Amino acid sequence: MTSPIQVAVLSGSESDADFVEVCGRQLDHFAIAHDCRVVSAHRQPQALAAFIREAESRGARVFIAMAGLAAHLPGVVASQTTCPVLGVPLPGGAMGGMDALLSVVQMPKGVPVAGLALGRAGAQNAAILAAQILSVGDPELRNRVEDFKRALAGEGS
Ligand code: RP5
């Protein structure tokens, strides 16, 4: 419960589990300590505020928040932390994810959320971007990110 983490991953529902797994696997690849928590911005606003405080006190420096439908989770997280917040809109519902996408990329001025791609690509990219952000002050992590990029380009590591 009180173990140190670098990244906090939040999702709005247990039904988002497949996307959380994609993100968590990529964070594991970079050996980034993280905690994944299901906390709905709509159904559990107080628990969400408490988790943000807890995550910060455990050392979290980046928040990843993913949600579908009226995807307010990234924005509500951003309203309560000065850490970077990476928002991943998830597909599902009557609008196939367009609803979540628009929710994530329409934050009002002063409260930024970095909007990632919709769905699985966004879930993976959020982990990579979190690694890139953290690597600014961590040369070993930077090496791991560079290895990953080289492998992606087919150059091996
Ligand atoms: C969002 O609504 C969640 O992030 C999920 O993507 C979607 C559906 O949630 P459930 O109704 O399955 O709990 O808040």
Side-chain angles (χ1 to χ4, degrees), residues 62-66 74 84-88 104 113-116 125-127 129-130 133:
V62 178
F63 285 81
I64 295 172
M66 48 185 85
V85 178
L86 314 185
V88 183
V104 170
V113 164
L116 277 297
N125 281 351
L129 187 54
I133 292 167

Side-chain angles (χ1 to χ4, degrees), residues 4-95:
I5 54 173
Q6 296 163 283
V7 174
V9 182
L10 294 111
S11 61
S13 171
E14 296 285 354
S15 64
D16 301 325
D18 289 351
F19 301 98
V20 174
E21 194 188 330
V22 167
C23 183
R25 267 205 306 270
Q26 190 65 53
L27 290 169
D28 285 339
H29 175 87
F30 292 124
I32 292 175
H34 61 280
D35 191 4
C36 301
R37 199 71 67 90
V38 177
V39 195
S40 168
H42 303 119
R43 297 165 176 148
Q44 302 163 292
Q46 275 127 11
L48 175 59
F51 178 65
I52 293 166
R53 296 284 81 77
E54 178 199 319
E56 286 184 333
S57 73
R58 292 167 63 190
R61 292 296 172 262
V62 178
F63 285 81
I64 295 172
M66 48 185 85
L69 304 181
H72 295 129
L73 185 62
V76 175
V77 174
S79 76
Q80 299 181 57
T81 183
T82 55
C83 293
V85 178
L86 314 185
V88 183
L90 300 181
M95 298 178 198

Side-chain angles (χ1 to χ4, degrees), residues 136-155:
V136 169
D138 182 339
E140 288 181 11
L141 179 56
R142 190 184 177 101
N143 287 339
R144 294 198 289 278
V145 172
E146 285 173 355
D147 286 347
F148 174 80
K149 295 277 184 179
R150 272 193 290 273
L152 205 60
E155 297 168 20

